[in-house]
Amino acid sequence: MNIIQLACNRLNTNTTGLAELLNIPYRTVYKWESGEREPPAAAIAAVKLVVFTQAHGLIDEWINERNEIMNESQLLNVAEAIMDSAASEYRATNLLNAEAVQAYAENGMDIYLSTEEAQTILDVCGPLAARESNGEIISDNDWHHEFTKPLSIG
């Protein structure tokens, strides 16, 4: 048994439940569980932390804390990379849907986004990309209020 299978057994959950606890895509956890991919050290540490918090009755508190301090800076980093002019020829593909945003983040940046996080990026970047593709110049003020602010901490 690998660490993902052990964690699922100890937490009395399945791959989907573990993915939700870790706030990462199901397919990523599935690849780890099946042995298709090795989880990075940070993911192994996160799995161990989830098992530890569950064993000590702290899982609900941990989930609340995790949700409160969700790392929006990662959202901003992924969104900036997608909107970067160097990647503009791939922008439409990367903004096709939430799964495409997740795939870009995971494969291109080794960042694992939940579907909700990917959808947030899509909701912010989609309209701006459409405006830019129509030749509109986005002002610094618009960029701040429509891009940076919605994806930043606090």
Side-chain angles (χ1 to χ4, degrees):
M1 246 187 222
N2 65 31
I3 191 165
I4 302 303
Q5 294 163 336
L6 286 170
C8 287
N9 285 342
R10 290 226 176 118
L11 297 168
N12 196 28
T13 191
N14 57 22
T15 308
T16 302
L18 184 59
E20 288 173 4
L21 282 171
L22 296 171
N23 199 31
I24 59 175
Y26 162 81
R27 63 183 156 59
T28 301
V29 177
Y30 174 81
K31 288 177 184 179
W32 297 340
E33 182 182 39
S34 69
E36 185 179 331
R37 261 178 95 177
E38 286 293 319
I44 292 171
V47 168
K48 289 178 179 179
L49 179 62
V50 168
V51 171
F52 175 84
T53 56
Q54 174 68 22
H56 291 83
L58 303 169
I59 194 75
D60 291 334
E61 184 178 334
W62 180 79
I63 290 170
N64 290 337
E65 284 293 317
R66 183 209 59 200
N67 290 340
E68 287 178 20
I69 59 172
M70 194 168 90
N71 189 357
E72 288 93 348
S73 66
Q74 282 192 341
L75 299 183
L76 187 57
N77 290 340
V78 172
E80 285 176 338
I82 289 173
M83 295 297 289
D84 187 354
S85 60
S88 63
E89 63 270 22
Y90 304 109
R91 191 179 296 157
T93 302
N94 294 331
L95 292 174
L96 187 62
N97 53 38
E99 291 79 20
V101 172
Q102 285 176 311
Y104 177 84
E106 182 178 339
N107 298 326
M109 303 178 75
D110 204 26
I111 293 174
Y112 303 97
L113 299 175
S114 69
T115 303
E116 180 181 315
E117 291 168 325
Q119 187 62 50
T120 298
I121 291 172
L122 189 62
D123 292 345
V124 169
C125 292
L128 286 172
R131 287 172 57 191
E132 283 187 344
S133 69
N134 289 332
E136 185 176 339
I137 297 183
I138 310 296
S139 72
D140 288 345
N141 189 50
D142 285 351
W143 189 260
H144 173 74
H145 288 285
E146 296 174 34
F147 182 82
T148 306
K149 195 172 179 182
L151 295 172
S152 297
I153 294 174

